[in-house]
Amino acid sequence: MIELQDAGFGYHEGAELLSNMTLSLQKGMFHFLTGPSGAGKTTLLRLLYADLLPTSGRVIAFGQDLRGLGRDDIAGLRRRVGVVHQDTQFLDHLPVAENVALPLTVSGHAVDMTALRDLLGWVQLGPQARALPPSLSGGERQRAALARAVILSPDLVLADEPTGNLDWDMSMRLMQLLIELNKSGKTVLVATHDLNLIRAAKAQVAARVLRIANGGLQLAGADL
Ligand SMILES: Nc1ncnc2c1ncn2[C@@H]1O[C@H](COP(=O)(O)OP(=O)(O)OP(=O)(O)O)[C@@H](O)[C@H]1O
Ligand SMILES: [Mg+2]
């Protein structure tokens, strides 16, 4: 569904942060992306949802080279990829339900209130539907961000450190939701530096673990 072909990226001319990356995100698979802070996990995710273009090699998304895509094609791609950002942002003056529905409303779609209620129930935010984002706990924010990321029924879900500031129990609850999404057929990629989280998840789902090391991408073995 998304492929990197010898792709590289650098924020500064002539200095690549990530080089020679070859990867194929396989449909229906659960992937982890790991590596130390500053290794380039967020950068790689941004390449996957066409927020950045590679400075070498190619990124092919749903059969199309990102480099050749126009604005409409990029918008189409973004609808197929749901993203939970590392620094989750909401419109603080709008209630949680409206924030979650935003990808629908900004693209001019009607909101199916029953589906929205079901989605909020799935992330256990029913009681917080009318709350404003600043009043949410860290775990509630992350669950709201996940609901917003899947409201357009994307094929692929990218989650960047979704358990970043959460305690272990809440981290596992969030992982459970991501595993459920995967079991319902979605391709999932979770970026995390937390190897314990990966180990715990691997007991429940067959996952491929990718690691960024020395500016390149490797497939990690079973020795996590
Ligand atoms: N917009 C930018 N301009 C210049 N350099 C950047 C930019 N964004 C990130 N970098 C640099 O690129 C490197 C990789 O950053 P990135 O955010 O991808 O790492 P990460 O693996 O996600 O780290 P963390 O685990 O802390 O989230 C860092 O050295 C960072 O300072
Ligand atoms: Mg990051």
Side-chain angles (χ1 to χ4, degrees), residues 83-218:
V83 184
V84 179
H85 295 276
Q86 186 164 12
D87 57 338
T88 301
Q89 311 265 1
F90 296 103
L91 295 180
D92 286 344
H93 62 286
L94 290 182
V96 168
E98 268 85 334
N99 267 282
V100 167
L102 214 56
L104 275 175
T105 45
V106 297
S107 57
H109 291 89
V111 179
D112 174 342
M113 293 313 285
T114 308
L116 179 58
R117 208 170 302 125
D118 287 351
L119 180 60
L120 288 170
W122 177 65
V123 294
Q124 296 184 299
L125 286 179
Q128 285 83 14
R130 306 308 312 159
L132 294 178
S135 72
L136 297 181
S137 74
E140 288 164 352
R141 283 181 79 83
Q142 288 306 88
R143 285 174 359 243
L146 180 60
R148 183 179 56 185
V150 299
I151 195 154
L152 295 179
S153 299
D155 303 311
L156 170 65
V157 177
L158 303 175
D160 196 355
E161 297 282 0
T163 63
N165 290 313
L166 308 184
D167 68 22
W168 182 251
D169 284 350
M170 184 50 71
S171 297
M172 290 315 293
R173 260 173 79 185
L174 207 87
M175 281 307 305
Q176 215 54 55
L177 294 172
L178 288 159
I179 290 170
E180 278 176 31
L181 283 175
N182 177 245
K183 297 215 154 132
S184 78
K186 296 193 192 304
T187 308
V188 176
L189 187 151
V190 178
T192 179
H193 63 272
D194 186 347
L195 296 184
N196 284 326
L197 189 75
I198 298 179
R199 287 189 197 102
K202 280 183 86 172
Q204 298 179 56
V205 65
R208 261 174 109 202
V209 182
L210 310 160
R211 184 186 303 160
I212 299 179
N214 305 319
L217 191 59
Q218 307 163 347

Side-chain angles (χ1 to χ4, degrees), residues 2-8 18-26 44 48 56-59 208 210-211 215-219:
I2 299 195
E3 259 180 86
L4 303 180
Q5 296 178 351
D6 213 20
L18 299 166
S19 301
N20 303 111
M21 296 184 296
T22 293
L23 166 69
S24 172
L25 286 185
Q26 285 158 12
L44 176 50
L48 295 176
S56 62
R58 305 205 298 165
V59 179
R208 261 174 109 202
L210 310 160
R211 184 186 303 160
L217 191 59
Q218 307 163 347
L219 192 59

Side-chain angles (χ1 to χ4, degrees), residues 47-89:
L47 286 169
L48 295 176
Y49 63 90
D51 192 33
L52 296 172
L53 286 174
T55 46
S56 62
R58 305 205 298 165
V59 179
I60 312 285
F62 305 103
Q64 290 179 292
D65 190 331
L66 287 191
R67 198 171 296 284
L69 297 188
R71 195 187 293 232
D72 288 350
D73 298 321
I74 300 266
L77 163 69
R78 296 256 173 84
R79 277 195 290 278
R80 300 181 70 175
V81 181
V83 184
V84 179
H85 295 276
Q86 186 164 12
D87 57 338
T88 301
Q89 311 265 1

Side-chain angles (χ1 to χ4, degrees), residues 11-12 17 36-43 46 86 161:
Y11 288 102
H12 307 289
L17 169 71
S37 184
K41 300 181 295 297
T42 298
T43 304
R46 292 179 68 193
Q86 186 164 12
E161 297 282 0

